[in-house]
Amino acid sequence: MNTGLYIHLPFCKQKCRYCDFASFAGLEKKIDSYLEALAKEAKQVPTKNFQTLYVGGGTPSLLSADQLATLCRIIVQPFGWISNFSESTLEANPESLTPQKIAVLKECGFNRLSLGLQSFNDTELKTIGRVHNAVTFLKAYQAARQGGFNNINVDLIAGLPGQTLDSFLHSLSQVISLSPEHLSVYGLQVEENTPLFESGF
């Protein structure tokens, strides 16, 4: 059985209104301390025979280029070169993914990016508390392509507040036209204690 390594980075610029994951906004000053703790924990993991790597969150792309390079070193020391994983993915949000960060990730050996678009409709994005808009996503997607990533996943959510079948199909067709290697479509789940739940949606 293949075994995957998951690393969680719980930092966000702004927490989405539907999110009930372990993620926190406004704690960027704690990232360096978190990375130090992560390095200590990585050394204690008993098995090193992982086939895949997934760095999620939160928003891993919120880290600076230097912090991403530190993260890469933390992974390499106990687990070997990132390029040794058959698939190594980092989650990214469009507004925080820059050409410099893309270059660091590519140099470190990451071979897949997962971009959190969620919708091509700017009104829908604003309603759920996303920071980016459609134009920002397109710029990030093209930057990832130009930066050498030929394995990209794009996330969409169905059932957003105010979303119609036509607007969802528009988002879907726009993503398909970009020809990502993978498309993930999630049905919206409204969890208790989230702003979306409290709003009565």
Side-chain angles (χ1 to χ4, degrees):
M1 180 183 297
N2 289 339
T3 304
L5 172 65
Y6 176 76
I7 296 176
H8 188 73
L9 297 171
F11 304 97
C12 288
K13 182 175 182 179
Q14 177 175 295
K15 195 168 175 77
C16 298
R17 299 185 69 232
Y18 58 83
C19 180
D20 71 333
F21 297 148
S23 60
F24 310 93
L27 297 181
E28 288 87 344
K29 291 182 179 179
K30 295 185 179 294
I31 292 176
D32 289 335
S33 297
Y34 187 88
L35 291 175
E36 291 176 7
L38 182 64
K40 294 178 181 178
E41 183 174 347
K43 295 176 182 178
Q44 300 175 23
V45 177
T47 178
K48 299 181 181 179
N49 188 28
F50 296 106
Q51 286 74 46
T52 61
L53 167 67
Y54 194 98
V55 180
T59 309
S61 58
L62 183 63
L63 275 62
S64 69
D66 287 342
Q67 288 169 334
L68 287 172
T70 298
L71 173 65
C72 291
R73 290 192 294 271
I74 290 170
I75 297 170
V76 165
Q77 186 171 3
F79 305 118
W81 298 108
I82 293 175
S83 58
N84 290 340
F85 292 96
S86 61
E87 185 173 86
S88 48
T89 304
L90 184 126
E91 282 186 351
N93 279 358
E95 75 281 353
S96 57
L97 187 64
T98 66
Q100 184 183 13
K101 294 178 184 180
I102 291 167
V104 168
L105 294 171
K106 191 66 178 176
E107 183 177 353
C108 288
F110 278 92
N111 58 29
R112 184 172 183 264
L113 289 177
S114 182
L115 299 180
L117 168 61
Q118 316 312 354
S119 171
F120 248 106
N121 184 298
D122 288 348
T123 299
E124 292 172 4
L125 290 172
K126 186 175 182 179
T127 298
I128 59 175
R130 301 294 287 184
V131 179
H132 70 276
N133 57 27
V135 171
T136 305
F137 165 78
L138 287 171
K139 290 180 179 178
Y141 184 89
Q142 295 302 330
R145 287 299 196 205
Q146 293 168 6
F149 277 92
N150 56 15
N151 191 359
I152 298 177
N153 170 68
V154 177
D155 288 345
L156 285 178
I157 299 179
L160 295 173
Q163 189 179 66
T164 65
L165 178 59
D166 285 343
S167 68
F168 173 74
L169 291 177
H170 173 73
S171 291
L172 185 61
S173 64
Q174 290 292 100
V175 173
I176 291 173
S177 71
L178 294 173
S179 300
E181 284 65 39
H182 193 269
L183 170 61
S184 299
V185 179
Y186 302 94
L188 177 67
Q189 291 185 300
V190 181
E191 305 290 350
E192 292 187 21
N193 301 317
T194 62
L196 206 54
F197 179 86
E198 299 298 334
S199 72
F201 178 76

